[in-house]
Amino acid sequence: MGLNNGADRTPPMGWNSWNKFHCNIDEKLIKDTADALIKHGLADVGYKYLNMDDCWEGERDDDGYIHASKATFPSGIKALSNYAHLKGLLFGIYSDAGYLTCAKRPGSLGYEDKDAMTFASWEIDYLKYDNCNNDGTPEQQRYQVMRDALNATGRPIFYSICEWGRSSPHLWGNSVGNSWRTTGDIQPRWGSILNILRKQESITKYAGPGGWNDPDMLQVGNGNLTIDEQKSHFSLWAALKAPLLLGFDIRTPPVETLKIVKNTEIIAINQYLLGKSVNIVQRTSSWDIWAGELSDGHVALLFNRGESPTIIELNFAAHLNISGAVVVRDLWEHEDKGIHTNSYSYRVPKHGITVLKLTGGTKMLESDFVVPYGDGGNDLFDEYYENAFYRNY
């Protein structure tokens, strides 16, 4: 499963410039961010990709080769790539499967071979490939052209397809790229996070080693998200096996946000080699339970979408298909909760989450496994989700 092009088989972790800085980037910002990944210990826990998004591009020369903007990147991209590599980081770049990027810079449509060779010569490790200003050719066809051009360079480059889920990339992305965007752009608002989360429910089975559903980059640390909302966002993206690409200003990181994204127990859920995404196993009008297998047990996320604290009960048989004695560990409290049989309950705060790792127990026969997906509150749930996207939390 997944495109075997030499890229990592686990979801990528790192930082991308777009969510915080948009087009306001230059080589000093990128270098300072590289320094910050090291200084704040982010690289040590796995955040190794330093990715520039749109707006680095300058002009093409007479032979059609792309160059960086002389105003903002006077030293060139190879110098930045070298800077990142010397610090033990990997370096990523952005282009577009159209004539122009979303910011109206030169795109790669018609120049795929030259751009791939250029990126390889700059020792690029990651390419985010967008979908603006194209010629109407089907997405799969355009993205295959860049796939082949990248592979022809002989350099392993993580290939991130970003066509916003327009043509169901979860159905074809595994043979084309290493990850594929499943939605439009995420916003630093609670409603946007809920809206994007809902769209992942039916496609979790398509994620696996080397090929990942991408619900867009993290907004942890941006906007007015509460600490509990940031924990929920980070936990769900990690358990969905999404790429974990930070998008806040890590040069001056908020202490609590830094603590969230450096939770190595949550990161481990994302990086398990088994590579299985969680699935939603119960939904009510105000909360969800998401659960899945790990190579050494199970993970369960008790997620409170509601507007007040609530007690959520995880039933081992119904939600995990296991019985007997189960060891429960809370991955946010970093605390073992003892051995339990049958179930475990927790009072989860408004918009908050509890992430549990469960080991032990005995797998039940499939005939005994009944998932309590709904509680009769699905209509309320659907209405909540539809309206939430438009709220400015």
Side-chain angles (χ1 to χ4, degrees):
M1 186 176 186
L3 181 66
N4 187 13
N5 61 349
D8 289 345
R9 304 294 284 173
T10 56
M13 296 175 59
W15 177 89
N16 178 283
S17 60
W18 185 257
N19 281 353
K20 179 66 177 180
F21 297 102
H22 299 282
C23 268
N24 300 314
I25 59 173
D26 57 29
E27 64 181 45
K28 184 178 187 307
L29 169 67
I30 302 304
K31 285 184 175 181
D32 288 348
T33 301
D35 295 342
L37 283 168
I38 305 301
K39 176 183 177 181
H40 297 296
L42 290 162
D44 290 339
V45 297
Y47 296 99
K48 60 184 179 179
Y49 283 102
L50 175 67
N51 293 349
M52 287 196 310
D53 211 281
D54 205 351
C55 302
W56 64 267
E57 306 91 344
E59 303 293 336
R60 292 191 182 276
D61 61 26
D62 292 341
D63 295 320
Y65 289 96
I66 189 71
H67 295 273
S69 167
K70 292 181 180 179
T72 50
F73 295 93
S75 301
I77 304 304
K78 183 61 164 62
L80 279 180
S81 175
N82 288 344
Y83 190 87
H85 290 151
L86 286 171
K87 291 183 174 293
L89 302 172
L90 299 173
F91 193 72
I93 208 166
Y94 166 101
S95 192
D96 191 286
Y99 297 115
L100 298 172
T101 70
C102 297
K104 301 299 195 297
R105 305 297 180 95
S108 290
L109 186 63
Y111 294 92
E112 291 89 351
D113 290 338
K114 288 183 177 181
D115 285 358
M117 286 189 292
T118 299
F119 299 156
S121 73
W122 291 343
E123 298 185 348
I124 297 300
D125 304 296
Y126 186 114
L127 174 64
K128 176 183 173 182
Y129 204 45
D130 221 334
N131 196 33
C132 289
N133 303 301
N134 61 73
D135 64 353
T137 302
E139 283 86 357
Q140 183 174 357
Q141 182 177 330
R142 283 183 287 115
Y143 282 85
Q144 286 174 336
V145 175
M146 181 55 86
R147 173 203 62 190
D148 295 342
L150 291 172
N151 287 345
T153 69
R155 181 174 179 80
I157 297 176
F158 189 99
Y159 185 28
S160 172
I161 296 170
C162 183
E163 55 83 83
W164 323 312
R166 289 284 182 87
S167 60
S168 301
H170 56 279
L171 298 178
W172 51 265
N174 262 307
S175 64
V176 179
N178 301 107
S179 67
W180 43 89
R181 274 279 291 279
T182 57
T183 68
D185 288 359
I186 191 171
Q187 303 299 320
R189 298 191 298 271
W190 183 240
S192 176
I193 292 166
L194 289 180
N195 185 65
I196 287 176
L197 176 65
R198 186 185 187 189
K199 294 177 180 178
Q200 311 313 303
E201 293 177 15
S202 63
I203 63 173
T204 54
K205 66 182 179 181
Y206 296 99
W212 310 106
N213 292 319
D214 178 8
D216 205 3
M217 299 169 291
L218 293 164
Q219 288 286 11
V220 176
N222 291 329
N224 295 314
L225 297 173
T226 68
I227 293 300
D228 282 322
E229 289 168 352
Q230 292 180 60
K231 285 182 176 180
S232 294
H233 176 26
F234 185 69
S235 300
L236 287 158
W237 263 234
L240 286 165
K241 301 300 189 289
L244 297 183
L245 297 177
L246 306 176
F248 65 97
D249 187 351
I250 62 173
R251 298 172 301 175
T252 55
V255 173
E256 285 301 315
T257 294
L258 192 62
K259 184 178 178 181
I260 289 170
V261 301
K262 289 179 67 178
N263 184 331
T264 54
E265 293 194 79
I266 300 296
I267 290 171
I269 299 301
N270 181 258
Q271 295 291 302
Y272 269 91
L273 293 177
L274 182 64
K276 285 190 176 182
S277 171
V278 292
N279 299 292
I280 186 167
V281 295
Q282 185 168 6
R283 157 195 294 171
T284 76
S285 58
S286 61
W287 53 262
D288 302 339
I289 295 178
W290 295 73
E293 290 183 69
L294 305 173
S295 56
D296 59 350
H298 292 80
V299 61
L301 296 88
L302 315 184
F303 175 41
N304 180 12
R305 293 177 281 100
E307 299 304 310
S308 60
T310 189
I311 294 175
I312 302 176
E313 181 180 15
L314 176 71
N315 183 289
F316 302 153
H319 298 129
L320 303 176
N321 193 26
I322 57 176
S323 62
V326 176
V327 179
V328 178
R329 180 171 177 81
D330 189 310
L331 302 189
W332 280 110
E333 294 185 2
H334 304 293
E335 184 177 286
D336 291 328
K337 297 296 183 178
I339 298 174
H340 297 260
T341 57
N342 300 323
S343 66
Y344 180 82
S345 299
Y346 197 88
R347 187 174 188 268
V348 185
K350 165 187 173 181
H351 297 180
I353 202 162
T354 296
V355 183
L356 305 173
K357 182 177 179 181
L358 305 109
T359 54
T362 303
K363 187 173 182 178
M364 299 170 61
L365 296 175
E366 292 297 327
S367 59
D368 296 329
F369 183 37
V370 179
V371 176
Y373 187 78
D375 70 342
N378 286 353
D379 291 341
L380 290 173
F381 176 88
D382 291 343
E383 181 181 355
Y384 179 87
Y385 258 122
E386 292 299 330
N387 291 335
F389 182 64
Y390 300 101
R391 298 178 186 150
N392 184 7
Y393 283 97

